Amino acid sequence: MKPFEYIAPRSLEETTALLARAGTDATILAGGTDLLVEMRRPNKMRKRVVVDISRVSELGGMITSDRSVVIRPLMTHARLQHSELLRIAAPLLASASAAIGSPQIRNRGTIGGNIMNAATCADTVPPLIALGATVTLRSAAGTREMPLSSLFLRPYQTIAAPDELLTEIRFPGLTADARSAFIKLGRRNALSISRLSVAAILRIGRDSRIAEARIVPGAAFPTWQRVTAAEALLLGERPSARLFAAAGACVSKEMILQTGRRWSTEYKEPVIAVLVRRALEQCAAPALPEDGK
Amino acid sequence: MTTQRTHIIGRGERRVDAFGKVTGKAKFAADYSLPHQLYGATLYAEHPHATITHIDTREAERLDGVFAVLTAKDIPGENAFGIVIKNQPVLACDIVRYYGDGVALVAAATREAAEAALALIRVEYAPLPVLTDPEEALLEGSVKIHGDSNIFVHHKVRKGDIENGFAEAEIVIEKKFKTQFIEHSALEPEAALAEPAEQGGIRITGSVQNLFSSRRSVAAALNLDLNKVQIVQATLGGSFGGKDEVMTALCCRAALLSLRTGRPVKMVNTREASMRESYKRHPYVLSYKWGAKNDGSITAMEITCIADGGAYASMSPFVTWRSVVQATGPYRCGNVKTDVYAVYTNNTYTGAMRGFGSPQVNFAIESMMDMLAEAVGKDPLELRLQNCFETGAETATGQTLDHHVSLSEVLTTAADAAQFSAHWKSFRGQTSGAKRRGIGLACSYRGVSLGAEGTDAAGTIVSVQTDGSVIVSSGITDMGQGAQTQMSQIAAEVLGIGMGRIQFLNTNTSRVPDSGPTVASRGTIMGGSAAKRGAEIVRSTMLKVGSHMTGEATGALDFRDEHLVRMSDGTHLATFAEVAAECFRRGLPMYGFGWFQSPKTSWDEERGQGEAYFTYVYGANIAEVEVDIETGKVDVLRFVAVHDVGRAINRSAVLGQFYGGVAMGLGYGLLESFDFEEGIPKQLNFDEYLIPTSLDVPPIRPVVIEHPDPAGPFGAKSIGEPANELAAPAIINAIANATGRRITELPATLERVLLGHALSRTGERGSQHKTSDESCKIRPAGL
């Protein structure tokens, strides 16, 4: 590990001031579950200053305001996993948080770090994008808010400037008639990096037809996005296994359109379709009639 | 042999090292430091195969805090070690043969200075063609790694007439299997601390598994007599066969730096260095061809195995020898032709790992058995019971098994515990649902200890102190497997005392006799037998003294519950401590040196016939799995492990071996693969090298079967490796039961289960590479 300067600011203001001064020399430490691994790699760590934000109390906690859920970036995966609020307002995010790493990693790792590290396998991002989350970036110069889906440029890269800090993640809580699911496929049952994942939200109207559908695959596309082509297939239809399989096939096709055929496509092509179908089935579980009946 | 009545043998006594380990008082090698110590570091090869054209160390030497920079030319003695073929250098001289070869060493005041100095050493290479495929290594025109042939081992077994065997056959099954490199994954990476000794020579404290072989190599590299090289075993954080040659290299390097600088030198491998440098389990290419009658009796077995030995010979000659002996499995067959080769490549060298040549062949054998069962329309259990060894059977090497062969009992016990046959039938031919259940069976016989591989003897010292406390030490090492507990428990049984009286000392090459390596699951049977003899020597002296003290005949006396007792009525006549004190007062020795040499074995290398091992153990594993046929994900739901251990010395330790063995075997079957790209490891830490977590290991139901063997202490045989050699084939057979498709290459990853072949990233994004798994050939004989 190369030598570095370590600073632990106590307030948001102090943090943004520090970042403004340090510029590209600084990196932010929250839970450290990604950063410390990265810093140990020879020749990887180029940052001279580590700004530890874990003592900045304004960056912790979660509140509801005006039917929106506001999560601050220092919330750990463990707290999100066990949150009563999320169990009702965004159960898919609680599931995704529970699927990350191991208890030790969930106790330290934060949702802010998961987002800003921008790995394609970040488990909390697909649910957040499905929930329509927006994020707030703050610097000494001011704040800006944007949809989470437009934060990412490419794997491991966001549009945040070096002096900008993620301060807030906000999304409208799910309504009582919405159902959601998060499915993760890894090579083992814990401490596993997502091979593929799917976040899905369905709202089925009084007429038993799908009124709203959101599908966001993880580790499938270069950056996360709702697969609107597949969502469109579902709208206005009655849930059925055949319909969900078609939506899955559509996601698979979209994935290949965007990524091209790669070494892993032979596997991912059929499996993403299966996971999408399963996520939708899970959302519709009580309402889903047997296919063909 | 009937089970002897015992007091402490068989009980789940607390491990002698437990308190030290759970309270953090245990000292592992990296925990040792000395005043004025320097830190040593190794510069590794930058190519898997290249000629070193120039090394310039001047800049590194000038760096502040650097005390020595050494290369091969600084080695005073022999720069080559190896148990059979000495071709592994302490530091590469003119050629590097794998990516983990050491090229230069640094000793510096701090670890950071040592790292910085490594970066300043300029090494120029002329790259050579890289050989990574063991089958290609066999070819005439292939790149040669040492000398003019890459084949450095060819073991044979010839029995009966193979042509007649196939002529008699009504069914021939032929199949090619492949296994992978795997990492030992001990929690503790390698570490050593070397210091110049007061009277000349060197003293090394290290995480060493086989202290005596490492000592021989250090002495040879440093031109020292064996009595000038003292290796002290630190408490080991696991080994699984993995702390032999890699520790020999580290001990030699630390010793070189220490003697050069006159200072203590500490070397600790990072996980990345450990994975880069350390040897792996051999990948095998196994070609199996069996002939059988329609009733399932086996008429011929023709077997060829190619083991990838990597860059150096290491333990390959022995590992592959166990394979050749056990390659037919525990099944009767009159006509056998087996050839096992080990070849050099530029992959990381391969050596000892828990199982030692059996996990690879067991995967092929037990897959073949299930395929044969399918072909003749029998249940896998029925076919195994029909063909398996019974007492008096003759093995492929012509050895008559005259001990109690319990395999059919082991098999039926496992099958009953798992309700194997009923499940197997009901899971067959499932056609609906994405999640399919399957159940799979695997069994084995395994030679105990080293066998005809080499000299097999061990010594243990039992020393009673004047207050009746006891010190035990042995040439057999404890790596976490519990050897110290077993030996203590055996000594306690003989002396009639509690475990609390015994203090076990870590092995020190200058204080205990060379007892060979602690490998081959020989700790209990060899070290334990020696402990029994040592304790019996002391007991005999103490009984004589007890007789003088009490006037009773020695034959009427016994030690029990820490007392000298009259056997007839159990009366306590004196305490154990009082008798010890009396022995001392009378000037009698209370020091027992127990030496045990294994019963005779024999081997004819040309025909591959002989009494390969003096006794064998028998085991069976059953796995129940759920296969997601839409994603390829396999979950192991339940597991039954049954082993005849001879006699369980410590029941808890035996069960611990069962559980750990199954968990490791599950990793071998489903997850683990140490992959290379053109000789360069693709993963160097546990973020990418996946071993099972607690959530991947199912509940395991252990059944201990005990048929005491006259060759072992109180009838005990082995369990360390048997426990690890069957889980993978049991799981693979269960997957086949669930899906109707057979996996022929390990591990059964998501891709292999779903697609039937592996996918691997080959450098460029977008490129695609298929490893085509061989298709199965089942055909009528004569075609």
Side-chain angles (χ1 to χ4, degrees):
Chain A
M1 203 184 277
K2 286 189 183 157
F4 55 87
E5 191 185 344
Y6 171 87
I7 310 172
R10 297 285 174 158
S11 72
L12 191 51
E13 207 182 322
E14 198 186 332
T15 309
T16 50
L18 264 168
L19 291 175
R21 274 205 308 277
T24 51
D25 272 349
T27 187
I28 292 167
L29 169 72
T33 56
D34 283 309
L35 185 68
L36 280 148
V37 173
E38 213 45 40
M39 286 170 73
R40 281 191 69 243
R41 286 187 209 274
N43 313 320
K44 274 285 173 119
M45 177 67 182
R46 290 186 194 87
K47 306 286 187 182
R48 274 195 319 102
V49 183
V50 170
V51 179
D52 179 357
I53 58 168
S54 63
R55 290 171 178 78
V56 179
S57 57
E58 296 130 286
L59 295 175
M62 173 164 62
I63 53 164
T64 46
S65 94
D66 196 20
R67 286 196 55 240
S68 275
V69 177
V70 178
I71 302 177
R72 303 256 161 70
L74 289 179
M75 280 296 282
T76 62
H77 305 308
R79 289 190 60 194
L80 295 172
Q81 167 187 2
H82 298 297
S83 155
E84 278 305 317
L85 173 61
L86 286 194
R87 207 176 298 255
I88 294 152
L92 77 172
L93 181 57
S95 305
S97 303
I100 292 172
S102 60
Q104 294 91 329
I105 288 173
R106 291 195 292 274
N107 284 337
R108 286 212 61 84
T110 64
I111 189 166
N114 201 231
I115 293 170
M116 297 308 285
N117 192 47
T120 45
C121 55
D123 284 324
T124 60
V125 175
L128 285 171
I129 289 183
L131 288 162
T134 58
V135 289
T136 304
L137 298 180
R138 179 161 165 177
S139 69
T143 65
R144 54 175 173 154
E145 197 177 336
M146 70 197 69
L148 176 60
S149 54
S150 47
L151 177 70
F152 305 103
L153 270 178
R154 60 183 73 91
Y156 298 101
Q157 201 169 354
T158 68
I159 61 167
D163 65 341
E164 276 185 314
L165 183 69
L166 172 70
T167 54
E168 205 174 277
I169 302 134
R170 179 189 291 264
F171 57 84
L174 289 179
T175 51
D177 57 345
R179 303 284 307 241
S180 74
F182 176 78
I183 294 183
K184 167 173 175 167
L185 176 71
R187 293 191 180 275
R188 61 182 174 188
N189 297 330
L191 273 168
S192 191
I193 291 172
S194 281
R195 193 86 179 88
L196 284 169
S197 69
V198 176
I201 298 171
L202 276 190
R203 205 159 51 75
I204 296 168
R206 293 229 173 106
D207 59 354
S208 302
R209 290 178 186 276
I210 296 169
E212 191 176 1
R214 300 182 209 168
I215 302 170
V216 184
F221 291 70
T223 58
W224 303 269
Q225 50 193 288
R226 287 172 56 179
V227 187
T228 46
E231 293 171 359
L233 278 180
L234 299 171
L235 291 179
E237 300 290 331
R238 288 176 192 278
S240 77
R242 191 172 299 161
L243 178 70
F244 292 160
C250 177
V251 170
S252 181
K253 208 177 82 193
E254 290 290 317
M255 176 183 76
I256 294 164
L257 277 177
Q258 289 203 25
T259 64
R261 291 209 162 258
R262 308 172 55 178
W263 68 275
S264 57
T265 306
E266 189 183 355
Y267 179 80
K268 288 190 171 181
E269 183 177 14
V271 175
I272 190 65
V274 167
L275 298 187
V276 167
R277 191 196 75 216
R278 287 182 183 177
L280 294 170
E281 281 171 355
Q282 215 169 299
C283 291
L288 185 69
E290 291 280 306
D291 202 24
K293 284 183 189 168
Chain B
M1 181 176 168
T2 53
T3 306
Q4 215 176 316
R5 220 178 77 82
T6 53
H7 303 281
I8 192 168
I9 294 296
R11 293 205 330 225
E13 289 290 311
R14 189 169 63 218
R15 296 173 62 107
V16 297
D17 51 343
F19 267 128
K21 283 180 176 161
V22 299
T23 57
K25 290 196 176 79
K27 283 185 83 169
F28 298 92
D31 294 329
Y32 287 89
S33 284
L34 286 167
H36 313 297
Q37 80 184 11
L38 303 174
Y39 292 88
T42 308
L43 180 71
Y44 292 112
E46 284 161 49
H47 301 273
H49 199 197
T51 306
I52 301 172
T53 55
H54 187 66
I55 304 182
D56 184 346
T57 59
R58 284 171 301 178
E59 215 183 323
E61 283 160 21
R62 280 197 294 268
L63 191 72
D64 254 6
V66 171
F67 285 70
V69 183
L70 305 182
T71 60
K73 66 175 169 35
D74 298 302
I75 296 169
E78 205 177 352
N79 185 17
F81 63 91
I83 187 90
V84 180
I85 305 169
K86 287 188 183 181
N87 62 7
Q88 183 169 355
V90 174
L91 291 173
C93 187
D94 39 14
I95 293 181
V96 293
R97 295 182 177 85
Y98 86 109
Y99 200 62
D101 257 330
V103 174
L105 299 174
V106 169
T110 63
R111 199 167 290 152
E112 291 72 19
E115 290 294 328
L118 288 184
L120 296 176
I121 300 172
R122 304 269 169 265
V123 186
E124 287 164 26
Y125 294 95
L128 295 166
V130 176
L131 176 66
T132 60
D133 180 346
E135 290 179 280
E136 193 188 320
L138 295 170
L139 303 177
E140 195 77 12
S142 62
V143 181
K144 301 297 180 281
I145 312 299
H146 298 274
D148 45 12
S149 172
N150 289 322
I151 302 172
F152 65 100
V153 175
H154 178 195
H155 293 305
K156 300 173 229 180
V157 163
R158 300 286 183 268
K159 183 186 191 184
D161 184 325
I162 192 73
E163 278 169 28
N164 283 350
F166 281 113
E168 279 175 45
E170 292 164 323
I171 284 178
V172 173
I173 300 181
E174 203 174 345
K175 189 91 172 166
K176 191 168 170 180
F177 303 90
K178 283 186 183 178
T179 67
Q180 76 280 38
F181 286 94
I182 70 168
E183 172 75 21
H184 301 78
S185 307
L187 198 54
E188 177 205 27
E190 303 80 13
L193 172 61
E195 56 184 306
E198 285 176 59
Q199 322 291 342
I202 192 91
R203 180 186 150 100
I204 301 167
T205 305
S207 57
V208 191
Q209 173 174 354
N210 298 324
L211 289 88
F212 297 96
S213 40
S214 291
R215 180 180 66 161
R216 260 190 294 281
S217 304
V218 172
L222 270 53
N223 256 336
L224 291 170
D225 289 338
L226 291 177
N227 67 0
K228 294 289 187 194
V229 178
Q230 184 176 178
I231 302 186
V232 185
Q233 181 214 3
T235 294
L236 255 71
S239 180
F240 311 105
K243 283 174 177 159
D244 194 328
E245 286 88 346
V246 65
M247 274 311 301
T248 293
L250 197 71
C251 286
C252 288
R253 292 169 187 170
L256 277 167
L257 289 169
S258 175
L259 287 188
R260 174 61 73 98
T261 58
R263 297 251 218 148
V265 172
K266 180 169 176 173
M267 295 185 82
V268 181
N269 275 347
T270 59
R271 179 65 63 184
E272 287 80 4
S274 175
M275 283 204 179
R276 179 171 184 172
E277 182 186 352
S278 72
Y279 53 93
K280 316 297 175 206
R281 178 184 283 169
H282 292 72
Y284 274 37
V285 179
L286 308 114
S287 302
Y288 269 64
K289 184 181 169 189
W290 287 5
K293 298 278 197 190
N294 284 329
D295 70 356
S297 53
I298 303 168
T299 60
M301 292 187 180
E302 189 174 0
I303 299 161
T304 307
C305 304
I306 304 158
D308 185 347
Y312 300 108
S314 174
M315 284 284 176
S316 292
F318 292 153
V319 170
T320 50
W321 184 76
R322 183 175 286 276
S323 306
V324 88
V325 172
Q326 295 176 189
T328 61
Y331 305 115
R332 289 187 310 274
C333 178
N335 307 296
V336 176
K337 177 175 180 285
T338 306
D339 295 274
V340 180
Y341 300 91
V343 298
Y344 293 122
T345 65
N346 295 118
N347 293 320
T348 299
Y349 71 107
T350 47
M353 182 175 176
R354 191 181 190 181
F356 206 80
S358 73
Q360 298 93 333
V361 294
N362 286 350
F363 166 53
I365 298 160
E366 293 305 288
S367 298
M368 289 292 285
M369 261 336 248
D370 268 30
M371 287 162 55
L372 179 59
E374 194 68 47
V376 300
K378 287 192 175 180
D379 150 326
L381 172 67
E382 187 189 352
L383 185 76
R384 283 174 176 78
L385 289 172
Q386 176 191 342
N387 285 289
C388 76
F389 291 158
E390 299 286 353
T391 306
E394 193 190 281
T395 67
T397 74
Q399 178 172 6
T400 302
L401 301 175
D402 50 15
H403 54 273
H404 179 78
V405 176
S406 56
L407 186 56
S408 54
E409 178 189 348
V410 165
L411 272 168
T412 47
T413 304
D416 290 346
Q419 295 173 287
F420 174 79
S421 293
H423 282 315
W424 184 81
K425 280 192 191 75
S426 75
F427 295 150
R428 261 162 73 85
Q430 295 163 80
T431 50
S432 64
K435 309 264 175 104
R436 308 258 169 99
R437 289 286 180 91
I439 194 164
L441 169 66
C443 68
S444 71
Y445 85 129
R446 179 184 182 88
V448 169
S449 197
L450 301 173
E453 281 180 271
T455 314
D456 201 357
T460 302
I461 296 161
V462 178
S463 174
V464 177
Q465 310 301 298
T466 53
D467 62 355
S469 63
V470 180
I471 296 172
V472 184
S473 54
S474 177
I476 292 293
T477 54
D478 198 323
M479 300 154 263
Q481 86 277 34
Q484 295 186 348
T485 304
Q486 318 295 313
M487 288 186 265
S488 298
Q489 209 160 334
I490 287 167
E493 178 71 39
V494 172
L495 296 174
I497 55 175
M499 295 281 278
R501 271 192 193 273
I502 298 181
Q503 174 69 50
F504 208 105
L505 301 183
N506 279 352
T507 309
N508 177 327
T509 52
S510 294
R511 295 182 193 272
V512 292
D514 189 337
S515 301
T518 304
V519 296
S521 307
R522 69 192 279 271
T524 299
I525 196 162
M526 300 301 296
S529 291
K532 185 161 179 277
R533 289 189 179 180
E536 280 164 356
I537 291 167
V538 180
R539 173 189 154 90
S540 151
T541 306
M542 290 180 73
L543 277 179
K544 274 185 211 135
V545 169
S547 167
H548 286 298
M549 286 167 73
T550 60
E552 304 270 350
T554 49
L557 296 171
D558 192 9
F559 285 105
R560 214 173 287 166
D561 307 327
E562 315 228 324
H563 283 82
L564 178 72
V565 298
R566 189 191 294 123
M567 279 201 285
S568 54
D569 57 4
T571 309
H572 289 184
L573 304 173
T575 66
F576 184 79
E578 283 164 357
V579 180
E582 184 62 17
C583 277
F584 183 70
R585 210 181 57 75
R586 288 167 183 249
L588 293 169
M590 290 182 289
Y591 180 93
F593 170 58
W595 185 252
F596 181 74
Q597 194 179 4
S598 74
K600 224 170 102 56
T601 52
S602 64
W603 189 248
D604 171 349
E605 181 72 33
E606 205 35 56
R607 294 182 308 127
Q609 294 289 296
E611 311 267 314
Y613 294 95
F614 60 84
T615 191
Y616 292 80
V617 289
Y618 303 89
N621 280 185
I622 294 178
E624 193 178 332
V625 302
E626 183 178 81
V627 183
D628 184 335
I629 60 158
E630 292 182 327
T631 63
K633 180 79 164 58
V634 176
D635 278 303
V636 183
L637 304 178
R638 267 186 285 280
F639 208 95
V640 174
V642 182
H643 295 277
D644 180 354
V645 300
R647 181 90 192 268
I649 299 294
N650 184 308
R651 197 178 155 80
S652 306
V654 166
L655 296 185
Q657 290 287 351
F658 276 45
Y659 301 138
V662 169
M664 278 185 97
L666 185 149
Y668 189 49
L670 292 178
L671 286 168
E672 295 180 44
S673 188
F674 195 93
D675 295 328
F676 296 88
E677 193 169 331
E678 281 299 291
I680 297 174
K682 284 182 167 178
Q683 60 291 295
L684 290 175
N685 211 324
F686 292 117
D687 55 344
E688 290 178 87
Y689 183 79
L690 301 186
I691 61 174
T693 69
S694 56
L695 292 187
D696 299 290
V697 179
I700 298 162
R701 179 162 170 203
V703 185
V704 182
I705 290 185
E706 295 180 285
H707 290 290
D709 192 293
F714 299 98
K717 296 201 272 194
S718 302
I719 186 58
E721 291 170 284
N724 180 230
E725 64 180 22
L726 289 169
I731 290 167
I732 297 299
N733 283 340
I735 295 171
N737 181 227
T739 63
R741 285 165 63 172
R742 182 153 291 282
I743 303 282
T744 57
E745 297 190 14
L746 294 181
T749 55
L750 298 174
E751 293 83 358
R752 283 206 173 96
V753 175
L754 184 74
L755 307 171
H757 56 81
L759 297 176
S760 61
R761 194 199 303 265
T762 52
E764 291 304 301
R765 257 182 73 173
S767 64
Q768 187 170 338
H769 176 68
K770 273 189 209 179
T771 325
S772 73
D773 295 2
E774 297 294 318
S775 64
C776 171
K777 281 184 260 175
I778 300 181
R779 56 185 167 81
L783 286 181

